[in-house]
Amino acid sequence: MTDNRDTFWKRLEGINAGMLGAEPDWRLVPMSHYAEQETATLWFITAAGTDLVEAVEGGAKKAVHAVGDGDGQLYARIEGKLELSNDKAKLDEVWNAVASSWFGNDERDPDVRLLKFTMSEAEVWTTAGRIGFFYEIAKSKITGAKPDTGDHFTVSF
């Protein structure tokens, strides 16, 4: 279990965005995340009035964040709880050039909202990436064996 969890976190380090959605409508939208392994939390900076903010204004909601690495080494569907956060220190910590592109250099813009996604479980697929995939396909053609497409596992937080 620890190896799977370590693999998940190590591969997630190279990914900074995914598709986030929450109940009740579960409409997934692209969002940049900031991972905090110690607390199994993803942080998102967004604006007041967005569907996600409106969904959680009344309290935490079940949510899902789907991520994929451009090289195909990680695909994951992460489930958890999404809520608004007023943690100014955390906002200072995760504020960066991406956020300032949307809000100027003012993280205290009254429209800025910080979302906290507390992970409960992740269904994970790991592969050797594109080169490894093509190698496995070629090997299967030569040997007749099924290609090894990687690992599939679940991590609980």
Side-chain angles (χ1 to χ4, degrees):
M1 179 69 104
T2 301
D3 290 341
N4 286 344
R5 183 173 288 147
D6 291 344
T7 297
F8 169 75
W9 283 109
K10 182 173 174 49
R11 297 207 181 175
L12 185 65
E13 283 177 10
I15 301 171
N16 62 5
M19 300 292 288
L20 178 65
E23 60 182 5
D25 71 3
W26 296 101
R27 187 170 81 85
L28 298 176
V29 296
M31 294 287 290
S32 293
H33 63 257
Y34 311 94
E36 186 175 87
Q37 182 176 349
E38 304 77 34
T39 61
T41 303
L42 298 177
W43 297 91
F44 300 88
I45 299 170
T46 192
T50 62
D51 290 343
L52 288 170
V53 169
E54 289 178 2
V56 297
E57 281 179 326
K61 295 284 177 30
K62 288 182 183 178
V64 66
H65 187 53
V67 297
D69 149 350
D71 189 37
Q73 293 190 20
L74 174 75
Y75 299 98
R77 187 190 78 247
I78 307 165
E79 297 176 4
K81 175 180 73 169
L82 186 68
E83 61 190 313
L84 283 169
S85 173
N86 292 321
D87 188 334
K88 303 291 186 207
K90 182 53 69 177
L91 180 59
D92 289 342
E93 180 184 326
V94 300
W95 189 263
N96 62 25
V98 174
S100 67
S101 294
W102 293 104
F103 298 102
N105 289 323
D106 187 8
E107 63 199 70
R108 299 299 180 222
D109 180 313
D111 285 335
V112 172
R113 296 293 183 272
L114 183 63
L115 296 174
K116 178 182 180 183
F117 180 74
T118 306
M119 295 186 271
S120 58
E121 183 175 272
E123 185 174 13
V124 179
W125 295 262
T126 61
T127 73
R130 280 186 228 148
I131 293 172
F133 174 77
F134 289 124
Y135 168 78
E136 287 294 327
I137 296 301
K139 184 174 88 175
S140 77
K141 295 298 182 190
I142 294 167
T143 66
K146 295 281 185 202
D148 178 359
T149 57
D151 295 319
H152 175 224
F153 54 87
T154 302
V155 176
S156 296
F157 302 99

